[in-house]
Amino acid sequence: MEEKIYSVTEFNKMVKGYIDENSNFQEFFLKGELSGVTYYKSGHLYFTLKDKQSQIKCAAFNYKFKRIAEDLKEGDSVKIFGDVGFYEARGDFQVLVRHVQKEDKLGEMFAKLEKLKKDLEREGLFSPLFKKVLPKYPKAIGVVTAYTGAAFHDIVNTTRKRFKNIDIYIYSAKVQGVGAKEEIVKGIETLNKIPEIDLIIAGRGGGSVEDLWAFNEEEVARAFFQSEKPIISAVGHEIDNLLSDLVADVRAATPTQAIEISIPVKKEIEKQLLEKEKRIKDSINRVIKKKKDEIKQLQSSYVLKNFIKAIEEKNQMLVSKEEKIEDIMKKIFRNKSHELEVCTEKIIALNPLNVLKRGYSITKIGDKVIKESSQVKLGDSIETTIKNGKIISRIEEII
């Protein structure tokens, strides 16, 4: 096989010719993420376009004349239009950019967020039925935020101004970027395990939509919902409600407002207590005065002044009624005694023994009184009771 030996110039010229004649390398679109964006005073723009596996150098000469944006930055998702450029002298391969269009990455994020909102709403995570009431007088609060951020210092300062005796437990967590959602979730779970904590505040200060996006993550929303302690979403922002705002028991516009919502002002409580104490004392004094006046009125009343005389009159009435009752009882007793005597005489008159005294007798066979001859037969033994005894006979003849 014959060796092919080219000079560098020949080779580069051949490569450039191949590129220039191949329509696939002309007027095409590429999309990816920007890296190494550099604007030069000369009016040229250089950057690298990359995806997860590869990257390619790009150049936009005289970018201002091509109406290319001057605010491109690291991490922007873009779609570019251009041609492959090959600089023979240096052997450089790059894309010569004619136009740059920013991809609406945020729009995609919001579209996914809206779908997630609908899913969570169907599950009931936004329902008022599950919202817990904040304690009226918390003794300790838990805070999930960046320890070095302004939000934490605002929370501490506002709490100390309102009620300095309240304890604050801080779980320092990333609140934006990679790993933020995991740390926020871990913070909420950790503070829920501390018995002394009465409520939790999770949030951060303001920022761009991307900076706040950790509070739109599903894992964070579910951690808010599953919190056993009342929880406040305190993210400083002006956009529509974040997921954490919708799921939390209470939403605060800022971390400072979260404290204003949940922590009473100690001086105001003391003032209210003093006012209540005064009202109670005044009320008691009014009752005492009223009762004293009533006692004075009773002391000067006719009833009390003539109390002894009234008692004597009542006693006299009792004695009079007692005498009347005694007379009635005697009359009843006499009547009943007479009735008893009459009944006794009747009973005596009906006594069979008195009949026997007049010559009559009673004859029995066994326990039965003989009233008819058919009750006995010859040879029966009968018993006859007379006035002063009994006679035992035997039946020898029945007539």
Side-chain angles (χ1 to χ4, degrees), residues 64-91:
K64 291 185 179 181
F65 293 103
K66 296 173 182 176
R67 296 184 179 179
I68 293 175
E70 297 183 45
D71 61 347
L72 298 177
K73 63 182 182 301
E74 188 86 13
D76 282 349
S77 292
V78 298
K79 181 170 70 173
I80 67 172
F81 177 74
D83 314 290
V84 171
F86 186 76
Y87 186 44
E88 290 182 60
R90 290 201 303 266

Side-chain angles (χ1 to χ4, degrees), residues 264-280:
V265 178
K266 186 177 181 180
K267 290 182 179 179
E268 290 182 1
I269 295 174
E270 291 173 343
K271 181 181 177 182
Q272 291 172 4
L273 290 174
L274 289 173
E275 289 176 352
K276 287 182 178 180
E277 182 183 17
K278 184 177 182 303
R279 287 198 298 270
I280 292 172

Side-chain angles (χ1 to χ4, degrees), residues 146 148-155:
T148 56
F152 174 66
H153 296 289
D154 289 345
I155 287 173

Side-chain angles (χ1 to χ4, degrees), residues 15 319 360:
V15 170
V319 170
Y360 293 94

Side-chain angles (χ1 to χ4, degrees), residues 231-267:
I231 187 167
I232 301 174
S233 174
V235 183
H237 61 88
E238 297 179 358
I239 62 173
D240 292 338
N241 286 346
L242 299 165
L243 274 187
S244 62
D245 295 334
L246 298 172
V247 177
D249 298 307
V250 175
R251 179 215 173 179
T254 64
T256 298
Q257 189 188 53
I259 297 301
E260 293 171 348
I261 291 171
S262 60
I263 306 299
V265 178
K266 186 177 181 180
K267 290 182 179 179

